[in-house]
Amino acid sequence: MRKILFLLLALPLLGISQTKNVVSSTRVFPKVDKVAEFEKALAAHAKKYHTGDFKWRVFEIESGPDAGGYHTTEGPLSWESIDSRGNLGAEHTNDWNKNVAIYLTDRNASSYGVFQEDLSTVALTDYANRILINHMYPKPGMLYEVRNLIMKMKKAWEAGNESVAVYNAFNSGDPQYSIVTRLKGGLKAYGALKPMDVRYNEVNGAGSWDSYIADYTKFVERRWSEMLSYRADLSSK
């Protein structure tokens, strides 16, 4: 009886821990004269070694400080699947080192992001081919306050029918929220939206935008943004 009771109590925890809401991201930067060779090798590597739960979605970074780089996402995953994945094996590692990495610069970055369903206006796997990413870094001790700012902003996104996915960085450098706007209608649809301050005041009350900006100044350390395009030809098939 005690064992049965323990299992019943543990079920909610097991469900939470096995939720596939984690995205692993890697950024690499090819040598300027080896882009074609890099892309061919990357596509072959993804097709052979990254399938199923670990399939790759590859994006080309078009603007911002990382322009010219390639952003690869893996998942969504659960923490259990990451734990149990183990070593990918010598064959995988050798293929990457000998056939892909030879075309790269030394610059790279890796991170984990946890999808924040309550802050988002779109399902985790409801993707788009063009995205905008705003990287928002809270000041020390202000993570909760920034979360509240995003929750208020969500109403304005919904008013504009924007598809926005929000992620919280997990042990991946400075604490940050990544706010990913999925441009399903392309840039032209984004340009047709009402200005953000107008939408925000309409859904949160007159003068609320000024209060938002004042709180943003108090709680946010810095931010930067970029535009990326999905490369189906480089991604897992």
Side-chain angles (χ1 to χ4, degrees), residues 13 29 32 34 48 85 101 117 135 148 161 176 189 234:
L13 295 177
F29 299 83
V32 293
K34 297 295 182 181
K48 187 172 184 180
R85 186 180 191 184
E117 183 176 7
H135 302 267
N148 284 339
N161 292 318
Q176 73 160 294
L234 305 182

Side-chain angles (χ1 to χ4, degrees), residues 20-25 27 57 59 71 73-77 79 111-128 131-138 143 146-147 150 157 163-172 174-182 226:
K20 292 183 177 181
N21 63 350
V22 182
V23 174
S24 172
S25 301
R27 290 193 169 191
R57 288 176 56 81
F59 291 81
H71 177 90
T73 63
E74 194 173 69
L77 309 167
W79 290 120
S111 63
Y112 289 103
V114 181
F115 180 66
Q116 306 294 299
E117 183 176 7
D118 61 330
L119 299 180
S120 304
T121 65
V122 66
L124 174 53
T125 57
D126 188 2
Y127 300 122
I131 61 175
L132 308 176
I133 304 180
N134 285 299
H135 302 267
M136 185 185 298
Y137 297 85
L143 193 66
V146 171
R147 181 180 178 84
I150 298 173
W157 296 332
S163 297
V164 182
V166 180
Y167 301 84
N168 186 21
F170 179 84
N171 284 354
S172 300
D174 295 341
Q176 73 160 294
Y177 284 102
S178 295
I179 300 172
V180 183
T181 301
R182 298 173 177 172
E226 57 189 346

Side-chain angles (χ1 to χ4, degrees), residues 39-140:
E39 289 189 350
K40 182 178 179 180
L42 182 71
H45 181 85
K47 181 179 180 181
K48 187 172 184 180
Y49 296 104
H50 296 274
T51 58
D53 286 345
F54 299 96
K55 63 184 178 182
W56 277 4
R57 288 176 56 81
V58 180
F59 291 81
E60 186 173 354
I61 306 170
E62 297 183 337
S63 65
D66 287 349
Y70 290 75
H71 177 90
T72 298
T73 63
E74 194 173 69
L77 309 167
S78 67
W79 290 120
E80 279 70 21
S81 64
I82 295 172
D83 275 338
S84 61
R85 186 180 191 184
N87 191 308
L88 296 182
E91 182 181 331
H92 165 273
T93 303
N94 287 337
D95 183 77
W96 177 264
N97 291 337
K98 294 180 179 180
N99 298 322
V100 184
I102 57 174
Y103 302 120
L104 298 176
T105 67
D106 291 337
R107 183 183 177 193
N108 61 82
S110 295
S111 63
Y112 289 103
V114 181
F115 180 66
Q116 306 294 299
E117 183 176 7
D118 61 330
L119 299 180
S120 304
T121 65
V122 66
L124 174 53
T125 57
D126 188 2
Y127 300 122
N129 289 336
R130 175 159 283 183
I131 61 175
L132 308 176
I133 304 180
N134 285 299
H135 302 267
M136 185 185 298
Y137 297 85
K139 291 180 179 178

